[in-house]
Amino acid sequence: MRSETPLPLKLFAGAGLAFLLAPLLIIFVYAFTTEEKSFVWPPPGLTLKWFAVTWERPDVWKALGLSLQVATVSTVLALVLGTLVAAAVSRSRFFGRETISLLVILPIALPGIITGIALRSAFSILDIPFSFWTIVLGHATFCIVVVYNNAVARFRRLSGSLIEASMDLGADGFQTFRHIILPNIATSLLAGGMLAFALSFDEVIVTTFTAGQEQTLPLWMLEELIRPRQRPVTNVVALVVVVVTFLPILLAFLLTRDGDETAGAAK
Amino acid sequence: MLWRRPGVFVGTLLALPLAWLGIVYIGSLVALLVQSFYALDDFSGVIVEEFTLATYGALLRSSNLDIILRTVGMAVAVTLASAVIAFPIAYVAARHARGRWKALFYLAVMLPLWSSYLVKVYAWKLILAKEGILTWVFARLQLTPLLEAVLSIPVIGGNSLSVSYIGTFLVFVYVWLPYMILPTQAALERVPANLLDASSDLGGRPLQTFRHVTLPLALPGIVAGSIFTFSLTLGDYIIPQIVGSSRLFIGQAVYVQQGTAGNIPLAAAFTVVPIVIMGLYLWMAKRRGAFDAL
């Protein structure tokens, strides 16, 4: 028994969708503009020239490479840690369970600048020099929650009787994990991993505090936003980043169709 | 073997992640907190490592208090606006969208959510710039005087939208909106249909049903979303830097103090403000059951 949606509500929702999607479409147009100096709209002409120019830029490639490496390592770490917490929290009841789930959410619930400056002051107290690993340390910390969210949802649906049956049939813990648990949680880990990757690939606030001299792609872009050097190249990089992040989202969507979607992603 | 001793088993599972979060994250937070009780020696510019409350006292100086109030005000405004804009979208997506529309709604929320944060800010810079799209749209619609009238409002107006508080506000709302939509939608999807039927069977008009059944049940979701919008606005320093006036927000103040000014204690004291606010906020949200909606 469904009541008809009131028209104003539909209009509101439609306007909301336009508001959400339009700015991203604009990026597509600007990547092809012939205008070099300003943000003039509508574009005076369209060209493919800037794609070639961007392709030749070593600084863009270097930043992209670093971002991909950081995202890969952080995702692997977050997968291990996040799955362990999810397994513990969902398979048993113990004292302090609530506190632990809060602890996992904390790096996301607190503003990124706090995580960033906290890590930075810890590094300076311990005399740890900035490097690739200091970036990873920060990224892995806030990626745990994304993996955890996806894995917890799946663990809750995994019935305990399967595991008990496996044990009764003489499998040891490791075999049970390999043949029962892992196949059951694989897709949710894949989804969580991809979201973690996208999150890390895009992170800028924590990274500004932990990167030192290294430059990830978002940091490169931030510098371009503050002190523009060549606007059209920034436009092209922006377009590429939109396209690259779109793919993992689509895959994650297809993998977790049954609706254990996560909202745990903060910048 | 491990299964027979659940305590040991859980302990083994948790050892590594807890060590990580405990040492890396909580350790860092504690380090930060400790620093906020030190102070900078005004003459030598060296951080004196002795316990003092002077740095917190400095937060109450009018220039610093302004920064805090401005940031909290912006966070409140952004949260309220997000809730108002997100609700219809979440409602239609949860209750009425089917098939192709459902997919479109999903995409419209997920794409902006997962698109690069900087790309979104950049897109808005393009939209709000003086020679950008909005100016052009207003000119096309013969509404340029309206835009100029809005920009001439003191305090929130400015030279163009991209250097005004209105611009900052718009970008904040855009960037955090998906975080409000998702939990609200999740809460609305969990409202049992038979409750709505019961309400109308008992003679409740649609608006009454909405007020007394739908809204109270959706509230935890809205509160959950507000945790994100509020917290993210409190800590962001990039949006006000790129789109906005020259007046600072907490995030920028932290960045300036720890970077160019080298005043780590004051930067740390500044970050304690959002931590305290969010701590209270999370505690209240927990009591309202908002975490079940995440």
Side-chain angles (χ1 to χ4, degrees):
Chain A
M1 207 187 98
R2 242 166 224 301
S3 56
E4 196 46 46
T5 322
L7 188 64
L9 200 63
K10 272 187 179 159
L11 291 175
F12 258 108
L17 289 193
F19 175 68
L20 283 166
L21 287 173
L24 293 176
L25 297 175
I26 283 156
I27 290 285
F28 276 77
V29 179
Y30 269 99
F32 299 96
T33 183
T34 48
E35 171 68 43
E36 285 184 49
K37 290 282 171 283
S38 75
F39 298 133
V40 128
W41 182 269
L46 298 174
T47 172
L48 284 171
K49 176 180 135 192
W50 300 115
F51 285 83
V53 173
T54 309
W55 189 266
E56 298 295 322
R57 287 280 291 268
D59 57 336
V60 174
W61 283 110
K62 192 162 171 270
L64 178 67
L66 180 67
S67 275
L68 290 174
Q69 284 170 0
V70 168
T72 307
V73 178
S74 307
T75 302
V76 171
L77 282 170
L79 275 173
V80 174
L81 298 170
T83 312
L84 287 173
V85 182
V89 166
S90 54
R91 300 241 36 100
S92 55
R93 311 222 157 271
F94 56 89
F95 176 73
R97 199 161 146 263
E98 291 285 307
T99 316
I100 286 176
S101 47
L102 188 68
L103 182 65
V104 174
I105 296 171
L106 210 54
I108 289 275
L110 287 177
I113 193 162
I114 296 176
T115 308
I117 192 169
L119 287 169
R120 193 188 181 109
S121 51
F123 294 151
S124 76
I125 288 172
L126 300 172
D127 277 331
I128 299 172
F130 293 118
S131 69
F132 172 82
W133 291 106
T134 53
I135 306 178
V136 167
L137 212 64
H139 282 213
T141 303
F142 59 73
C143 283
I144 292 175
V145 65
V146 192
V147 176
Y148 166 85
N149 273 348
N150 273 282
V152 146
R154 187 62 59 91
F155 268 120
R156 287 206 179 112
R157 290 214 307 267
L158 181 66
S159 73
S161 52
L162 273 181
I163 293 164
E164 280 159 26
S166 157
M167 292 287 173
D168 291 343
L169 294 168
D172 59 36
F174 183 73
Q175 284 175 313
T176 305
F177 178 77
R178 231 199 101 218
H179 297 289
I180 308 290
I181 300 177
L182 201 55
N184 269 301
I185 61 169
T187 49
S188 77
L189 288 192
L190 200 56
M194 267 181 306
L195 295 179
F197 189 91
L199 190 61
S200 162
F201 185 77
D202 181 42
E203 212 289 328
V204 54
I205 291 190
V206 177
T207 319
T208 45
F209 289 95
T210 58
Q213 296 303 312
E214 304 263 338
Q215 205 175 38
T216 61
L217 198 60
L219 289 189
W220 178 90
M221 201 152 165
L222 181 63
E223 200 184 328
E224 288 290 320
L225 285 181
I226 295 167
R227 283 178 295 276
R229 285 175 300 188
Q230 206 176 10
R231 283 237 170 87
V233 173
T234 315
N235 291 338
V236 170
V237 172
L239 173 68
V240 171
V241 169
V242 170
V243 174
V244 168
T245 42
F246 178 64
L247 297 173
I249 302 165
L250 205 61
L251 282 167
F253 171 58
L254 295 173
L255 285 171
T256 52
R257 265 265 179 71
D258 36 19
D260 41 350
E261 193 45 65
T262 164
K267 303 288 179 235
Chain B
M1 165 197 91
L2 282 172
W3 284 96
R4 303 207 185 98
R5 321 233 339 239
V8 177
F9 176 67
V10 169
T12 334
L13 282 182
L14 284 174
L16 195 61
L18 280 192
W20 178 289
L21 285 170
I23 294 168
V24 173
Y25 192 65
I26 301 297
S28 300
L29 283 180
V30 170
L32 182 69
L33 204 61
V34 167
Q35 297 236 352
S36 69
F37 290 106
Y38 297 158
L40 196 70
D41 187 305
D42 284 338
F43 294 108
S44 59
V46 178
I47 296 166
V48 184
E49 302 199 351
E50 283 169 14
F51 180 87
T52 170
L53 287 173
T55 310
Y56 281 103
L59 275 188
L60 300 174
R61 263 187 242 139
S62 69
S63 57
N64 290 340
L65 201 59
D66 268 356
I67 293 175
I68 293 170
L69 292 176
R70 180 177 307 131
T71 312
V72 173
M74 180 63 89
V76 170
V78 167
T79 300
L80 289 176
S82 302
V84 170
I85 299 172
F87 198 87
I89 301 175
Y91 189 84
V92 172
R95 310 283 311 281
H96 299 283
R98 290 281 163 272
R100 192 180 304 170
W101 278 100
K102 187 101 178 166
L104 179 70
F105 270 98
Y106 177 84
L107 205 66
V109 175
M110 281 299 155
L111 250 184
L113 176 64
W114 288 99
S115 293
S116 164
Y117 159 85
L118 281 173
V119 169
K120 285 180 282 197
V121 179
Y122 185 59
W124 277 92
K125 185 95 186 159
L126 299 175
I127 294 168
L128 299 171
K130 213 175 175 59
E131 70 276 20
I133 297 169
L134 264 185
T135 311
W136 176 80
V137 168
F138 273 96
R140 272 301 166 94
L141 298 172
Q142 312 287 337
L143 288 174
T144 306
L146 179 68
L147 181 64
E148 279 165 0
V150 170
L151 284 175
S152 64
I153 302 172
V155 185
I156 60 168
N159 206 352
S160 81
L161 279 174
S162 64
V163 291
S164 72
Y165 280 148
I166 303 174
T168 320
F169 168 79
L170 280 173
V171 181
F172 269 136
V173 170
Y174 177 80
V175 173
W176 310 141
L177 190 59
Y179 296 98
M180 183 61 95
I181 296 175
L182 286 173
T184 308
Q185 190 180 330
L188 283 168
E189 269 169 359
R190 277 205 288 266
V191 176
N194 55 13
L195 281 187
L196 303 174
D197 292 348
S199 167
S200 58
D201 289 348
L202 294 168
R205 286 189 300 279
L207 268 182
Q208 285 177 307
T209 303
F210 177 80
R211 250 204 66 202
H212 298 290
V213 182
T214 312
L215 198 56
L217 287 170
L219 204 59
I222 299 173
V223 173
S226 73
I227 293 171
F228 286 109
T229 55
F230 203 81
S231 154
L232 293 167
T233 310
L234 281 184
D236 195 281
Y237 69 96
I238 286 173
I239 290 172
Q241 186 180 357
I242 290 169
V243 179
S245 69
S246 55
R247 301 188 202 91
L248 296 182
F249 283 73
I250 288 181
Q252 290 163 289
V254 170
Y255 196 70
V256 170
Q257 292 297 348
Q258 66 89 35
T260 40
N263 192 343
I264 298 258
L266 187 56
F270 258 120
T271 55
V272 171
V273 175
I275 293 179
V276 170
I277 295 175
M278 286 320 294
L280 287 171
Y281 207 108
L282 287 171
W283 177 73
M284 273 165 38
K286 210 173 168 67
R287 288 191 47 192
R288 301 214 56 149
F291 288 131
D292 311 335
L294 280 176

